């Protein structure tokens, strides 16, 4: 055979081989390499994880781990592992998966209606890497409390209900520092001046707002209720807020899962720091996380001469207000008869 032909055939064979090998590599890199049925899944890589740990974490979602490794090694991923939350989409190739592992996808963290600091820590800990105990210890750090004018009873006021963006692997200290910045941003000069006009500090205003929040779900009624409580504070009267008694009962029994719909005389005379029937002034800390409307109600209360109120039996969810005890007693008797007729014992 002609030597030139031999060389030509050899060249064709080499080129064909290269094309086949190139196609094989393209397949390895760009063909789908996932094995989950959902459209999207998140994988979580803890802080200080190494490459071997990452492979174990992602293996339930990757069809062929060798193909993933080939691309990861070419892209120097094993030496550059990042912690965080990463989004995998169904049908992603090895190239896409490695690329996804470089993009820490943030969490939209929302919280409201939390009753205690422990509840908040649990909610945050279920969405971010730090666990609830680590978060609680960070919130209650003595140096932090002293620097910001809080104590363990009232530090809960720091958390303004909203939706915040965090990376999943945000450390507990960074989460807390973000929250104090949001607290200071909320309590600007205007809001602080409004609180002072009511004779309150921002901490006291939030504690009162937590009571207003628990008293009524009707946002349009909250400024009136805030006005009543401010009237009582100015007169030196006990706040006599049933929600504080309920909170005291739960705190004393350490059972915050119980549902208490009714309080009785023996509950009202219970000696407890949070019972505003036996103690003058505000309780030591908030009894819940007040939402913004409750906070604004305290800062912009209705000016009225009401001293008393009780639940209405004609407008459910609302209350009947009174300026005199005689008028209030009539309203209270009407409510008492109604609730007895409903058979509500506790």
């Amino acid at each position: 055979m002609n030597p030139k032909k031999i060389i030509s055939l050899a060249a064709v064979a080499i080129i064909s081989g290269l094309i086949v090998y190139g196609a094989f590599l393209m397949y390895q890199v760009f063909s789908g390499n996932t094995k989950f049925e959902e459209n999207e899944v998140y994988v979580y890589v803890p802080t200080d994880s190494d490459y071997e740990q990452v492979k174990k974490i992602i293996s339930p979602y990757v069809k062929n781990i060798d193909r993933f490794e080939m691309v990861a090694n070419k892209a120097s991923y094993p030496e550059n592992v990042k912690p965080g939350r990463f989004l995998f989409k169904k049908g992603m190739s090895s190239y896409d998966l490695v690329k996804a592992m470089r993009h820490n996808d943030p969490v939209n963290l929302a919280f409201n209606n939390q009753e205690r600091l422990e509840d908040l820590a649990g909610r945050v800990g279920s969405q971010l890497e730090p666990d609830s105990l680590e978060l609680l210890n960070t919130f209650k750090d003595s140096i932090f409390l002293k620097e910001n004018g809080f104590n363990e009873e009232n530090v809960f006021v720091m958390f303004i209900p909203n939706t915040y963006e965090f990376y999943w692997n945000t450390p507990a200290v960074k989460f807390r520092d973000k929250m104090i910045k949001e607290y200071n941003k909320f309590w600007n000069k205007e809001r602080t001046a409004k609180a002072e006009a009511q004779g309150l500090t921002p901490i006291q205003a939030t504690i009162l707002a937590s009571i207003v929040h628990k008293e009524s779900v009707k946002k349009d009624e909250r400024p009136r209720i805030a006005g009543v409580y401010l009237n009582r504070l100015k007169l030196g009267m006990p706040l006599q807020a049933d929600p504080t008694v309920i909170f005291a009962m739960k705190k004393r029994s350490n059972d915050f899962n119980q549902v208490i719909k009714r309080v009785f005389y023996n509950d009202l005379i219970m000696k407890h720091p949070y019972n505003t029937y036996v103690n003058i002034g505000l309780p030591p800390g908030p009894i819940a996380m007040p939402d913004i409307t409750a906070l604004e109600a305290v800062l912009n209360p209705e000016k009225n001469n009401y001293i008393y109120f009780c639940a209405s039996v004609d407008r459910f969810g609302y209350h009947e207000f009174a300026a005199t005890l005689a008028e209030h007693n009539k309203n209270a008797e009407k409510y008492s008869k109604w609730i007895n007729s409903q058979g509500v014992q506790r």
Side-chain angles (χ1 to χ4, degrees), residues 27 30 60 151 243 326:
Y27 173 79
F30 295 109
N151 57 46

Side-chain angles (χ1 to χ4, degrees), residues 105-346:
D105 205 37
V107 175
N108 286 321
L109 174 60
F111 54 78
N112 58 17
N113 291 328
Q114 305 299 300
E115 196 168 20
R116 302 175 299 156
L117 189 65
E118 289 81 358
D119 299 321
L120 174 71
R123 180 166 179 80
V124 174
S126 70
Q127 297 181 70
L128 299 182
E129 183 177 19
D131 63 27
S132 58
L133 182 58
E134 183 182 359
L135 289 161
L136 268 178
N137 290 336
T138 304
F139 301 156
K140 294 181 178 181
D141 176 73
S142 59
I143 296 174
F144 172 79
L145 294 176
K146 185 176 181 180
E147 287 177 347
N148 292 281
F150 298 129
N151 57 46
E152 288 193 14
E153 289 290 339
N154 64 31
V155 67
F156 192 33
V157 306
M158 176 177 71
F159 300 93
I160 307 297
N162 208 334
T163 300
Y164 303 94
E165 186 176 273
F166 286 98
Y167 289 113
W168 174 78
N169 56 309
T170 298
V173 170
K174 285 193 175 182
F175 173 79
R176 182 198 66 192
D177 291 348
K178 169 70 172 176
M179 291 296 96
I180 190 61
K181 286 181 182 178
E182 293 296 326
Y183 173 81
N184 290 328
K185 185 190 301 183
F186 179 84
W187 285 105
N188 54 29
K189 289 182 179 180
E190 181 183 359
R191 288 196 177 99
T192 301
K194 285 184 175 182
E196 289 175 353
Q198 307 304 329
L200 304 170
T201 65
I203 291 175
Q204 291 171 330
T206 307
I207 292 172
L208 181 55
S210 74
I211 300 173
V212 172
H213 177 95
K214 279 294 189 178
E215 281 285 12
S216 180
V217 297
K218 304 297 185 182
K219 296 178 181 179
D220 59 329
E221 189 184 54
R222 286 175 172 174
R224 177 167 293 184
I225 291 175
V228 174
Y229 281 134
L230 287 166
N231 289 342
R232 291 181 185 177
L233 286 173
K234 289 171 185 175
L235 291 170
M237 287 178 59
L239 289 180
Q240 296 183 330
D242 286 2
T244 66
V245 178
I246 293 171
F247 184 85
M249 293 167 66
K250 291 181 176 181
K251 194 171 179 68
R252 184 179 63 176
S253 65
N254 196 30
D255 179 6
F256 282 84
N257 293 319
Q258 61 183 307
V259 177
I260 301 174
K261 296 182 178 180
R262 190 175 185 181
V263 295
F264 296 96
Y265 177 74
N266 285 340
D267 303 324
L268 302 182
I269 62 174
M270 173 184 59
K271 291 183 179 180
H272 194 280
Y274 280 84
N275 184 354
T276 58
Y277 275 83
V278 297
N279 301 301
I280 303 293
L282 294 164
I287 62 171
M289 177 184 290
D291 65 22
I292 302 300
T293 63
L295 286 163
E296 292 294 349
V298 170
L299 299 181
N300 303 281
E302 178 185 281
K303 303 298 181 183
N304 58 57
N305 65 343
Y306 297 130
I307 303 298
Y308 309 99
F309 65 95
C310 73
S312 174
V313 299
D314 300 315
R315 301 180 304 141
F316 289 106
Y318 284 92
H319 295 79
E320 301 295 343
F321 295 82
T324 66
L325 182 58
E327 186 182 0
H328 171 66
N329 285 339
K330 290 180 181 178
N331 293 333
E333 183 180 5
K334 187 176 181 180
Y335 176 73
S336 181
K337 287 181 179 179
W338 176 83
I339 199 169
N340 285 334
S341 71
Q342 301 301 305
V344 178
Q345 298 301 315
R346 176 55 86 182

Side-chain angles (χ1 to χ4, degrees), residues 25 51 81:
L25 287 179
Y51 180 54
V81 169

Side-chain angles (χ1 to χ4, degrees), residues 1-12:
M1 184 179 289
N2 190 314
K4 289 184 179 181
K5 284 187 178 182
I6 293 173
I7 294 172
S8 297
L9 289 172
V12 169

Side-chain angles (χ1 to χ4, degrees), residues 4-46:
K4 289 184 179 181
K5 284 187 178 182
I6 293 173
I7 294 172
S8 297
L9 289 172
V12 169
I14 292 170
I15 292 171
S16 297
L18 290 173
I19 291 173
V20 170
Y21 181 68
F24 173 74
L25 287 179
M26 292 290 283
Y27 173 79
Q28 295 282 80
V29 173
F30 295 109
S31 64
N33 194 21
T34 61
K35 62 176 181 181
F36 50 87
E37 295 302 318
E38 302 91 339
N39 290 326
E40 297 180 345
V41 297
Y42 282 102
V43 297
Y44 297 84
V45 176

